Amino acid sequence: MHADGAPEPFSTPRLDALPLDVAHAREMAAVLSDPALHTYTGGAPEDAAALRARYARQSAGSPDPAELWWNWVLRVRADGRLAGYAQATLRAGRAEVAWVIGTPWQGRGYAKEAAVGMVRHLLTRQAVRSVVAHIHPDHAASAAVAAAAGLTATDEREDGEVRWRRDAPRAAGGDEVQP
């Protein structure tokens, strides 16, 4: 984490996760333009102006000093194009995460790669003791991504979504160890 609380970039074999910037809004408006991306989460695609405003708020960070908002755009290294985003809200050692891959890039393993990379980044480089995702019970693709990132479905629900969780490993003495 940077001194100002901003997220550090991370990379996976094919993706660069870059801290979100208002300058990404135009390209991301096209990436996120398919209404089908909102099937399980609600809402509708936003145009570049709406995304610029949202990205400005997100980049400024949480108004709550005890909470950090980390947002990354996902750039495909092979062609330099943005393909989606990953995000984490950090509070008291817990990271709530989410990911979205634009429709044209789906089916290539990018969501899995981004989620695995983000969870590893959070658990190995940050003071995160648990990672949580909330997934609609009918969203099989997102559930598969969560499982690939080492999260396990729980019996807990929030707003009708299944809570998935992964805790940082603990050493024999109770101290956290790096995964």
Side-chain angles (χ1 to χ4, degrees):
M1 173 177 72
H2 292 284
D4 64 358
E8 292 180 353
F10 66 91
S11 294
T12 68
R14 300 178 296 161
L15 301 170
D16 290 321
L18 308 171
L20 179 70
D21 188 277
V22 173
H24 297 127
R26 183 181 184 114
E27 187 175 356
M28 287 301 292
V31 170
L32 303 173
S33 65
D34 186 351
L37 291 174
H38 300 272
T39 299
Y40 298 106
T41 59
E46 295 178 294
D47 64 17
L51 280 181
R52 267 193 299 280
R54 179 157 53 100
Y55 290 178
R57 286 189 307 275
Q58 289 175 324
S59 296
S62 172
D64 180 346
E67 182 175 87
L68 296 174
W69 293 347
W70 288 357
N71 297 279
W72 299 271
V73 292
L74 303 170
R75 184 179 65 201
V76 179
R77 202 171 302 111
D79 64 14
R81 295 177 64 195
L82 299 180
Y85 67 85
Q87 61 188 34
T89 300
L90 288 82
R91 184 179 190 83
R94 177 169 134 167
E96 293 205 18
V97 299
W99 49 85
V100 174
I101 300 296
T103 305
W105 294 271
Q106 291 180 4
R108 302 179 193 187
Y110 290 141
K112 174 184 171 184
E113 189 171 319
V116 167
M118 176 175 52
V119 169
R120 182 179 307 121
H121 177 70
L122 291 167
L123 291 176
T124 62
R125 297 194 177 132
Q126 312 305 331
V128 173
R129 293 182 305 276
S130 67
V131 176
V132 172
H134 296 98
I135 300 173
H136 190 283
D138 297 331
H139 198 333
S142 205
V145 169
L151 281 73
T152 303
T154 70
D155 292 332
E156 300 171 55
R157 299 286 187 274
E158 185 170 316
D159 296 327
E161 295 182 322
V162 176
R163 178 173 289 159
W164 289 68
R165 183 181 181 117
R166 177 176 173 184
D167 293 325
R170 300 217 174 253
D175 294 330
E176 293 174 22
V177 296
Q178 302 303 326

